Amino acid sequence: MTSRGKRAIFAGAVGNAVDWLDWAIYTTFAVVFSPLFFPPGESGPALLFSLAVFAVGFVMRPVGAILFGAYADRHGRKRGLVLTIVLMATSSLVIGLTPTYENIGVLAPIVLVCCRLLQGLAAGGEFGSSAAYLVESAAPRRRAFAGSWQQVSVGAGLLLAAGMGATVTSLLPEAAVSAWGWRLAFIVAALCGFAALWVRSAAQESESFESAIQTADKVDRSARRHPVLSMFREHPRAAMRVFAINIGGTLLYYIWLTYLPVYINVTTDMPLSEALRANVITIAVFIALLPIAGLLSDRFGRKPTMLTFAVGFVLYSWPAFHFLNGEFFNFLLIECIGAVLLLGYCANAATIMSEQFPAAVRASGIGVPYALSVTLFGGTAPYILTWLNSHEFSGFIWVYCAVAAAIGACVYFTMPETKGKALD
């Protein structure tokens, strides 16, 4: 891989990590700040309200994918990525500074919802642009390895969020965490976003995009003017495949790596600080193994590694939730096993989606179907799990996970192998 390609991957990954830190810090502290933004009452309904706001943020992801994906296909991946990080960081800063319901009444949840909608807009544009940018910057035989860094950076963002949560809840008294500790985490996350903006601003555009611009014929130029419409009109099967690829993967990803610490804190006597420490260790293991999983995909193919993930979760979902209790090492082991299985999906997702489309519509082709899938299945997962548990349907949670994994297995088994396919 050239030095330019390495610098591009670094710039894309660093900015992506900070973007997802800003996104994930909400879930990490939802159980803490939820009573402050909604009418006084029991903590259970307040948590459900805050998780509903979490899901609402996902509604804007398809819109963000359309707007920012089209912008990145027309004007370049770099410009699109600069805009997304500005929007994400600014929204986090506003959340961290917003007064509580006690101080400003109904304006507090309104501001929270508006900021989460803007973050959803940014997240929707981030994924497609960053995935295209990383894969287009890679050597042909190392595309899955390069694409895995998209998820390495997402995992790094989650790790930073979990690390902030563990640090704040461990070092500060509970009253201080509720009063201002959670705000400090949001403000620090926002400042990290503005620092990453400088890194992205100095990055170069991907060579693949520049080459596509220079050699574009009349058809490519027409597609680039209306990339979303062209993607659905010219590549409908690829768009449907991208949507289906992410059903099981995104649902299980959000359950295992972002919501499980909150779930075990609510359902057992395990302190949130211990659950977050286990989550930090799990995500660190996950990040360390992702590039290796990418190399395995480059060596053996996309389908075998994706099927390992899906079939593994079909078999693992029941024992994972059946044996889950409030003990630290039990939770750590169960979460780590799930994270290892997730490698098969996460190391491949960005690359497989990039390999479905030509450069003229690639950011839109990745971003829009992916955002729709994430909105329907990833964004609603924490709320559905909380609802099932609060209505004494916790025994069905493993079924929910296993069915999603089984759908993924069917999709991965029938999709064409794209290892070695030339990028247009």
Side-chain angles (χ1 to χ4, degrees), residues 26 33-40 46 49-50 52-54 56-57 94-95 98-117 182-183:
Y26 182 98
F33 70 74
S34 56
L36 305 177
F37 278 84
F38 298 96
F49 282 138
S50 69
V53 175
F54 176 78
V56 164
V94 172
I95 292 175
T98 298
T100 64
Y101 186 90
E102 183 180 356
N103 298 125
I104 61 172
V106 72
L107 282 178
I110 289 175
V111 171
L112 185 66
V113 170
C114 289
C115 287
R116 201 58 186 172
L117 289 173
W182 67 271
R183 293 185 184 277

Side-chain angles (χ1 to χ4, degrees), residues 4 9 11 34 74 79 108 112 151 186 311 314 379-380 393 415 419-420:
R4 175 176 176 171
I9 289 174
S34 56
R74 292 190 193 109
R79 291 185 181 182
L112 185 66
Q151 286 295 328
F186 273 94
V311 175
V314 170
T380 58
F393 293 130
M415 73 181 187
K419 173 180 172 286

Side-chain angles (χ1 to χ4, degrees), residues 8-9 12 16 68-69 72-73 76-78 81 125-138 143 146-147 150 205-209 349-355 357-367 423-424:
I9 289 174
N16 201 40
F68 287 105
D73 282 330
R77 319 310 187 199
K78 173 187 168 180
L81 292 172
E126 173 71 22
F127 189 92
S129 299
S130 63
Y133 186 66
L134 288 168
V135 174
E136 288 175 351
S137 301
R143 286 205 297 259
Q150 202 275 345
E205 186 55 76
S206 75
E207 291 183 272
S208 178
F209 180 82
T351 305
I352 292 176
M353 291 187 283
S354 297
E355 290 169 339
F357 303 99
V361 298
R362 184 166 290 129
S364 300
I366 298 169
L423 287 183
D424 298 332

